């Protein structure tokens, strides 16, 4: 087993759990089914926009955005074969072509009205 294979499960553990929690929360609370498809990210972008329009402080929605970001990251993992990486408490994705992606930063940008989880997935899925 290589060092890469040994570190991947540890790096993926938290984002995978956050994504699963977001799926369960959306299914139970909002009656919204998330199926890990790229199309489902349209719904998350719209949900973030609705939350943003309501105007809660970032701290009040930080965990929701973290779950949405982790879910978007898992969509990228499933679409591209990307892997989660972690360092210093931060998590990001590395696609097979070597590009790095930060779905957590993209979720923050979405909340600020300047990003899109759907477009992050589209761009990450495009060949490098």
């Amino acid at each position: 087993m290589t060092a890469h294979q040994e570190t991947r499960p540890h790096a993926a553990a938290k984002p995978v759990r956050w994504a699963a929690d977001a799926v369960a929360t959306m299914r139970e609370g909002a009656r919204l089914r998330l199926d890990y498809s790229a199309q489902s990210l349209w719904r998350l972008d719209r949900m973030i926009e609705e939350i943003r329009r309501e105007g809660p402080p970032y701290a009040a929605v930080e965990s929701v955005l973290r779950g949405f970001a982790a879910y978007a990251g898992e969509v990228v993992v499933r679409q591209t074969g990307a892997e989660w990486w972690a360092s210093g408490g931060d998590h990001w994705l590395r696609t097979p072509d070597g590009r790095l992606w930060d779905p957590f930063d993209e979720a923050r940008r979405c909340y600020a009205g300047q990003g899109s989880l759907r477009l992050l997935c589209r761009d990450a899925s495009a060949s490098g």
Side-chain angles (χ1 to χ4, degrees):
M1 183 177 286
T2 67
H4 171 73
Q5 290 170 324
E6 292 169 6
T7 59
R8 197 285 174 185
H10 176 71
K14 286 183 180 180
V16 169
R17 185 175 65 241
W18 295 332
D21 289 348
V23 169
T25 298
M26 295 309 296
R27 182 181 60 240
E28 294 165 13
R31 301 282 186 242
L32 178 65
R33 291 190 101 41
L34 298 175
D35 61 2
Y36 292 95
S37 68
Q39 294 82 9
S40 67
L41 296 176
W42 282 90
R43 293 183 213 120
L44 290 190
D45 279 349
R46 284 195 308 264
M47 298 260 337
I48 293 171
E49 175 60 24
E50 289 173 19
I51 293 168
R52 187 173 73 80
R53 275 189 265 140
E54 292 173 9
Y58 179 79
V61 297
E62 187 172 11
S63 66
V64 171
L65 293 175
R66 182 186 68 194
F68 287 176
Y71 173 83
E74 276 298 293
V75 171
V76 172
V77 166
R78 293 171 187 213
Q79 296 275 321
T80 68
E83 293 188 320
W84 284 105
W85 289 76
S87 177
D90 292 329
H91 294 82
W92 66 93
L93 297 168
R94 182 173 178 203
T95 49
D97 60 12
R99 294 179 297 166
L100 299 176
W101 304 90
D102 186 344
F104 300 97
D105 183 56
E106 194 65 21
R108 286 187 290 273
R109 289 172 30 83
C110 286
Y111 188 65
Q114 302 168 353
S116 168
L117 295 174
R118 177 186 60 83
L119 293 178
L120 173 100
C121 180
R122 183 200 66 189
D123 293 347
S125 297
S127 59

